[in-house]
Amino acid sequence: MTATLDAPLLVPGTVPGSGPESGAGRPPKRPAGPGRGIRTRLLHVLRQPTLVLSIAVLLLVTLWALAPTWFTAWDPIEGVARDRLQPPSATHLFGTDNLGRDLFARVVHGSATSLAATTVAVIVGLTVGSFFGLLAGFLRGIVDDAIMRFMDVLLAIPSLLLSLALITALGFGTLNVAIAVGLASVASFSRVMRAEVLQVATAVYVEAARVSGVRWYTILRRHVLPNASGPVVALAALEFGVMVLAISSLSFLGFGAPPPTPEWGSLVSGGRDYLAVAWWLTTLPGLVIVAVVLSANRISRALERNGGTR
């Protein structure tokens, strides 16, 4: 009598199915809960020093905007004549301007105006652009062609020139500048949203929902929009830095808040006539703008690498 080659080799004193290959006696693996997922993401962020620094910069500037008196006790409007054009020191961290006003206080208080305008611009661009991109990608056909040709026309116009044209129509002021910058970015959001919607709309689960008789607006709300929003959020983070630069540029040209209201672009503009004797009037506010723009770009790259909010 011959034994088959496929028969398992049994060791005396053991029970079938209790060997090391069966996994018996091992503690069951616990599923990763939400707390463990948050810790994993936090550790992943902490391993990237530039990302941590970028988040810290944006948090600091946000605190400047929300609670400026925590960081400076100087008045951003009233100055002391005898302290005019003093260089950076322990008393005046960023020095003083030609009217004796503390420059650090003006930068801190001006962050509220600049960040509020940038937030409005991002919301306008994200909302309007995503709406048109969603319609174009979901309805397709003649609607898609009409919307995308209009977006191509907007993309053909330089964003700063388009913003200036819109400001001419809307009028001067920080709010109008924010709306104009936001409308100038509609085409970028629209194209990204359309591309994501076209990809998601052909997925198996979306087709299954259509065959099951689910209404189109339910499919749009439950399936298409949540799964297509990740790259658009990453683009919004990138556009935040671009819009900070655009709004500061328009404020530098005199289209923003009227003086003496502090605003980052107007602070850089106000120090142009004193570059030879007071370099800090333009350099230090300019470095703040550069730090915010670079931080937003770094966070945008991290969101894009991780698939946005998916």
Side-chain angles (χ1 to χ4, degrees), residues 158-169:
S159 58
L160 186 60
L161 180 61
L162 182 58
S163 300
L164 288 173
L166 292 173
I167 291 173
T168 304

Side-chain angles (χ1 to χ4, degrees), residues 222-268:
R222 290 186 179 180
H223 301 294
V224 177
L225 187 58
N227 290 285
S229 60
V232 182
V233 172
L235 178 63
L238 178 63
E239 287 292 325
F240 185 89
V242 174
M243 289 178 183
V244 167
L245 196 58
I247 290 174
S248 299
S249 300
L250 293 171
S251 176
F252 179 88
L253 296 175
F255 295 104
T261 304
E263 197 173 8
W264 288 346
S266 61
L267 292 179
V268 176

Side-chain angles (χ1 to χ4, degrees), residues 126-145:
L126 178 64
T127 304
V128 179
S130 299
F131 174 75
F132 283 112
L134 196 62
L135 287 181
F138 193 75
L139 298 180
R140 306 180 192 177
I142 189 172
V143 176
D144 183 16
D145 292 338

Side-chain angles (χ1 to χ4, degrees), residues 43 47 65 71 73 86 104 120 124-125 137 163 174 183 193 203 208 256-257:
L43 290 175
R47 293 192 189 101
F71 301 92
Q86 289 191 2
F104 180 71
V120 171
V124 170
S163 300
T174 304
L183 292 177
M193 175 60 82

Side-chain angles (χ1 to χ4, degrees), residues 88-102:
S89 62
T91 305
H92 302 284
L93 295 180
F94 283 10
T96 59
D97 62 5
N98 59 311
L99 297 178
R101 296 173 296 191
D102 185 79

